[in-house]
Amino acid sequence: MSLKGHFELLSNYNQWMNSKVYEAAAHLTAIDLAKDRGAFFSSILGTLNHIVVGDTIWLKRFATHPSCLNSLREVADLRNPTSLDELVFEDLGSLSEHRIWLDREIIKWISELSESDLDFVLSYHNTKGIPAKKRYSSLVLHFFNHQTHHRGQVSTLLSQAGVDIGVTDLLTQIPEETHV
């Protein structure tokens, strides 16, 4: 499978997992979602917002790639998050609607990338203003890893709250091979 093929797999996995996580979270009350559970971003709602914040920051950076000006145009127009723990949406319904839209944008963006786009070296500044120049493909991999990392935290928080989200393995999304 090509590098782009792997990223397409990850973008679809991302959408599938977010759907499962938000469906599971919908079983909790607003109070339970906002309850401080001692996580890095306090609550289930706080952690889900952090994933959206991280995605927004990275997608806005990715949008500066010359071939992504069109595919990420709407994301580039989003307001810049003010902090990594910003509550972009204070209710699960609005956050979920935005997540669904964002996941579609991610899938569209990845589908429009070429293998050669992935070799690009992206110049950007991190949230502390420190400049960096890194290979686009490595940053895309980080982007998906960041989502998985924090969704794992949400999965644990949901489990502790008595909600099971079911199977979460990427393995379930990897297609069977018909030839060797």
Side-chain angles (χ1 to χ4, degrees), residues 16 47 51 70 82 101 104-106 142 153 158 178:
W16 176 70
T47 306
I51 297 168
N70 187 43
T82 57
W101 174 80
R104 285 186 192 130
E105 294 297 304
I106 292 167
H142 164 75
Q153 293 171 338
L158 286 167
T178 57

Short mmCIF file of all heavy atoms in Angstrom, two decimals, residues 16 47 51 70 82 101 104-106 142 153 158 178:
data_model
loop_
_atom_site.label_atom_id
_atom_site.label_comp_id
_atom_site.label_asym_id
_atom_site.label_seq_id
_atom_site.Cartn_x
_atom_site.Cartn_y
_atom_site.Cartn_z
N TRP A 16 -14.53 6.82 11.38
CA TRP A 16 -15.23 5.70 12.00
C TRP A 16 -15.13 5.77 13.53
O TRP A 16 -16.13 5.64 14.23
CB TRP A 16 -14.64 4.39 11.47
CG TRP A 16 -15.20 3.14 12.07
CD1 TRP A 16 -16.46 2.63 11.89
CD2 TRP A 16 -14.51 2.22 12.93
NE1 TRP A 16 -16.59 1.45 12.58
CE2 TRP A 16 -15.41 1.18 13.23
CE3 TRP A 16 -13.23 2.18 13.46
CZ2 TRP A 16 -15.06 0.10 14.05
CZ3 TRP A 16 -12.87 1.11 14.27
CH2 TRP A 16 -13.78 0.11 14.56
N THR A 47 -11.60 16.85 26.42
CA THR A 47 -10.68 16.09 25.57
C THR A 47 -11.17 16.06 24.13
O THR A 47 -10.37 16.22 23.19
CB THR A 47 -10.49 14.67 26.13
OG1 THR A 47 -10.07 14.76 27.51
CG2 THR A 47 -9.43 13.91 25.34
N ILE A 51 -9.14 17.58 20.78
CA ILE A 51 -8.87 16.92 19.50
C ILE A 51 -9.28 17.84 18.35
O ILE A 51 -8.54 17.98 17.37
CB ILE A 51 -9.60 15.55 19.41
CG1 ILE A 51 -9.07 14.60 20.49
CG2 ILE A 51 -9.40 14.94 18.03
CD1 ILE A 51 -9.90 13.33 20.67
N ASN A 70 -6.91 24.73 -2.10
CA ASN A 70 -8.31 24.53 -2.42
C ASN A 70 -8.97 23.51 -1.50
O ASN A 70 -10.04 23.76 -0.95
CB ASN A 70 -8.48 24.11 -3.89
CG ASN A 70 -9.93 24.07 -4.29
OD1 ASN A 70 -10.70 24.98 -3.95
ND2 ASN A 70 -10.32 23.04 -5.01
N THR A 82 -7.64 29.61 20.60
CA THR A 82 -6.88 30.50 21.48
C THR A 82 -5.96 29.74 22.43
O THR A 82 -5.00 30.30 22.94
CB THR A 82 -7.83 31.39 22.31
OG1 THR A 82 -8.73 30.55 23.04
CG2 THR A 82 -8.62 32.32 21.39
N TRP A 101 -18.35 17.31 10.17
CA TRP A 101 -17.90 18.16 9.06
C TRP A 101 -16.39 18.08 8.91
O TRP A 101 -15.86 17.91 7.81
CB TRP A 101 -18.35 19.61 9.29
CG TRP A 101 -17.80 20.54 8.27
CD1 TRP A 101 -18.27 20.75 7.00
CD2 TRP A 101 -16.65 21.39 8.41
NE1 TRP A 101 -17.49 21.67 6.36
CE2 TRP A 101 -16.49 22.08 7.19
CE3 TRP A 101 -15.76 21.63 9.45
CZ2 TRP A 101 -15.45 23.00 6.99
CZ3 TRP A 101 -14.73 22.54 9.25
CH2 TRP A 101 -14.58 23.20 8.01
N ARG A 104 -15.14 14.89 7.33
CA ARG A 104 -15.36 14.88 5.87
C ARG A 104 -14.29 15.72 5.17
O ARG A 104 -13.80 15.35 4.10
CB ARG A 104 -16.74 15.43 5.54
CG ARG A 104 -17.86 14.47 5.84
CD ARG A 104 -19.19 15.02 5.36
NE ARG A 104 -20.27 14.23 5.89
CZ ARG A 104 -21.34 14.72 6.50
NH1 ARG A 104 -21.49 16.03 6.65
NH2 ARG A 104 -22.28 13.93 6.97
N GLU A 105 -13.94 16.85 5.75
CA GLU A 105 -12.89 17.70 5.19
C GLU A 105 -11.55 16.98 5.18
O GLU A 105 -10.78 17.09 4.23
CB GLU A 105 -12.79 19.02 5.96
CG GLU A 105 -14.01 19.92 5.84
CD GLU A 105 -14.26 20.37 4.42
OE1 GLU A 105 -13.34 20.95 3.82
OE2 GLU A 105 -15.37 20.12 3.91
N ILE A 106 -11.26 16.25 6.23
CA ILE A 106 -10.01 15.50 6.32
C ILE A 106 -9.95 14.43 5.23
O ILE A 106 -8.94 14.29 4.53
CB ILE A 106 -9.84 14.87 7.73
CG1 ILE A 106 -9.62 15.98 8.77
CG2 ILE A 106 -8.69 13.86 7.75
CD1 ILE A 106 -9.76 15.53 10.22
N HIS A 142 1.82 12.35 12.32
CA HIS A 142 1.66 12.90 13.68
C HIS A 142 0.20 13.32 13.91
O HIS A 142 -0.36 13.07 14.98
CB HIS A 142 2.59 14.10 13.91
CG HIS A 142 2.19 14.89 15.11
ND1 HIS A 142 2.41 14.45 16.39
CD2 HIS A 142 1.54 16.07 15.20
CE1 HIS A 142 1.91 15.34 17.24
NE2 HIS A 142 1.38 16.33 16.54
N GLN A 153 -7.66 8.21 25.32
CA GLN A 153 -7.99 8.77 26.63
C GLN A 153 -9.50 8.87 26.81
O GLN A 153 -10.03 8.52 27.86
CB GLN A 153 -7.35 10.15 26.78
CG GLN A 153 -5.84 10.10 26.84
CD GLN A 153 -5.22 11.48 26.77
OE1 GLN A 153 -5.82 12.44 26.29
NE2 GLN A 153 -3.98 11.58 27.23
N LEU A 158 -14.70 7.16 29.02
CA LEU A 158 -16.05 6.62 28.79
C LEU A 158 -16.22 5.29 29.52
O LEU A 158 -17.26 5.05 30.15
CB LEU A 158 -16.31 6.45 27.29
CG LEU A 158 -16.55 7.74 26.51
CD1 LEU A 158 -16.47 7.48 25.01
CD2 LEU A 158 -17.89 8.35 26.89
N THR A 178 -6.49 -10.13 -1.34
CA THR A 178 -6.99 -11.24 -2.16
C THR A 178 -5.87 -11.99 -2.86
O THR A 178 -6.09 -13.05 -3.41
CB THR A 178 -7.99 -10.72 -3.20
OG1 THR A 178 -7.34 -9.71 -3.98
CG2 THR A 178 -9.23 -10.17 -2.53
#
